[in-house]
């Protein structure tokens, strides 16, 4: 007798003997006169057999999925929760990319120069006392990024880049309105700058910060490894 293994079927039941008859029409080894479990389940009079039942169940399933948010990762939100959601902008590849309740744009016509000047001249340690005339000239000579509240269009964050569009760029004047801090807008602005400059093939993009290393580190900025090569000309 040739070698053979004893194979058991699902749930420990013995496998069908090799000579057992098979009902090819029903796809079952059930005894004659006894419908296969699958046929009994979908037989006449059952819920699964009634016209429209499958469609209704499918629609109910979709509704449950929408309510749970499983079909739309990151979009589900309790309608009663009106708090602005955190902006996850570190992956934006479009300089006018969007996040939950804010958008970032490079359109200079959308800027609010008076608001920007007030922010920087009164609340930014590096620009305290800066005149409006100086700020306006800085904006005119820079590549500007504005973060806007989608519902109202109000400017809530700003950053600018000084660059020759070929070899070098300096990121500066990054500011987020105190009322919306803690929602990732600073990181989103830095990411928008990074993605906007990427196609230019710049050799180096620099910035200076006293306390926001973690924000910029999230989008790829790192401490200079050779600071001894840098020098500054103090003019005032």
């Amino acid at each position: 007798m040739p070698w053979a293994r004893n194979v058991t079927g699902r749930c420990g039941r013995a496998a069908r003997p090799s000579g057992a008859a098979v009902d090819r029409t029903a796809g079952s080894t059930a005894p004659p006169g006894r419908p296969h479990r699958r046929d009994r389940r979908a037989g006449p009079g059952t819920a699964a057999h009634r016209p429209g039942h499958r469609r209704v169940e499918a629609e109910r399933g979709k509704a449950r999925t929408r309510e749970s948010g499983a079909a739309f990762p990151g979009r589900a939100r309790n309608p009663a929760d009106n708090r602005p959601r955190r902006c996850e902008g570190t992956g934006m590849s479009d300089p006018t990319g969007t996040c939950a309740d804010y958008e970032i744009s490079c359109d200079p016509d959308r800027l609010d120069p008076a608001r920007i000047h007030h922010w920087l001249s009164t609340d930014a340690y590096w620009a305290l006392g800066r005149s409006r005339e100086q700020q306006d000239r800085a904006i005119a000579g820079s590549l500007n990024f504005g973060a806007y509240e989608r519902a109202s269009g109000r400017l809530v964050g700003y950053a600018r880049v000084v660059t020759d569009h070929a070899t070098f760029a300096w990121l500066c004047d990054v500011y987020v309105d105190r009322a919306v801090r803690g929602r990732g807008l600073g990181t989103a602005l830095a990411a928008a700058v990074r993605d906007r400059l990427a196609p230019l093939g710049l050799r180096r993009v620099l910035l200076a910060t006293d306390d926001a290393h973690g924000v910029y580190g999230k989008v790829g900025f790192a401490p200079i490894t050779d600071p001894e090569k840098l020098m500054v000309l103090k003019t005032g």
Side-chain angles (χ1 to χ4, degrees):
M1 178 179 181
W3 176 86
R5 289 187 303 175
N6 180 29
V7 181
T8 58
R10 188 176 181 182
C11 298
R13 291 175 298 202
R16 175 178 57 84
S18 59
V22 180
D23 182 355
R24 297 296 182 185
T25 60
S28 167
T29 58
R34 183 180 179 184
H36 187 266
R37 185 173 61 181
R38 180 177 55 192
D39 300 327
R40 295 200 307 273
R41 188 169 59 245
T46 62
H49 189 74
R50 290 197 295 270
H53 174 78
R54 293 180 184 275
R55 178 177 57 80
V56 171
E57 286 301 310
E59 291 300 323
R60 288 175 179 172
K62 290 180 181 178
R64 286 192 296 268
T65 300
R66 284 193 296 267
E67 291 171 0
S68 66
F72 305 99
R75 292 189 184 180
R77 191 179 190 185
N78 184 343
D81 183 4
N82 294 320
R83 295 172 299 175
R85 288 176 287 181
R86 180 177 178 82
C87 175
E88 302 296 344
T90 57
M92 291 189 299
S93 58
D94 183 344
T96 57
T98 59
C99 50
D101 296 288
Y102 306 94
E103 62 179 343
I104 296 176
S105 173
C106 295
D107 184 356
D109 293 334
R110 297 185 64 182
L111 295 173
D112 184 344
R115 186 173 179 81
I116 294 171
H117 173 252
H118 174 73
W119 280 341
L120 298 178
S121 64
T122 64
D123 195 39
Y125 65 84
W126 65 90
L128 294 176
R130 183 183 293 175
S131 71
R132 174 64 187 273
E133 187 272 336
Q134 283 181 310
Q135 186 60 52
D136 287 348
R137 281 195 291 129
I139 292 174
S142 303
L143 174 61
N144 300 277
F145 295 77
Y148 302 89
E149 190 175 62
R150 296 174 66 82
S152 65
R154 184 173 62 98
L155 181 71
V156 294
Y158 174 74
R160 70 184 179 93
V161 175
V162 181
T163 180
D164 58 9
H165 297 272
T167 63
F168 176 79
W170 175 264
L171 172 59
C172 57
D173 285 352
V174 181
Y175 187 93
V176 174
D177 191 330
R178 287 185 175 273
V180 297
R181 289 183 184 178
R183 296 170 187 166
L185 277 172
T187 301
L189 280 166
V193 169
R194 176 201 62 196
D195 295 345
R196 172 63 176 79
L197 297 179
L200 301 180
L202 305 180
R203 183 176 180 182
R204 179 173 288 180
V205 180
L206 293 181
L207 63 82
T209 181
D210 276 359
D211 53 10
H213 299 78
V215 172
Y216 300 111
K218 292 178 182 178
V219 299
F221 284 91
I224 295 176
T225 56
D226 50 0
E228 67 281 357
K229 293 183 179 181
L230 298 179
M231 299 182 69
V232 61
L233 175 62
K234 294 184 178 181
T235 59

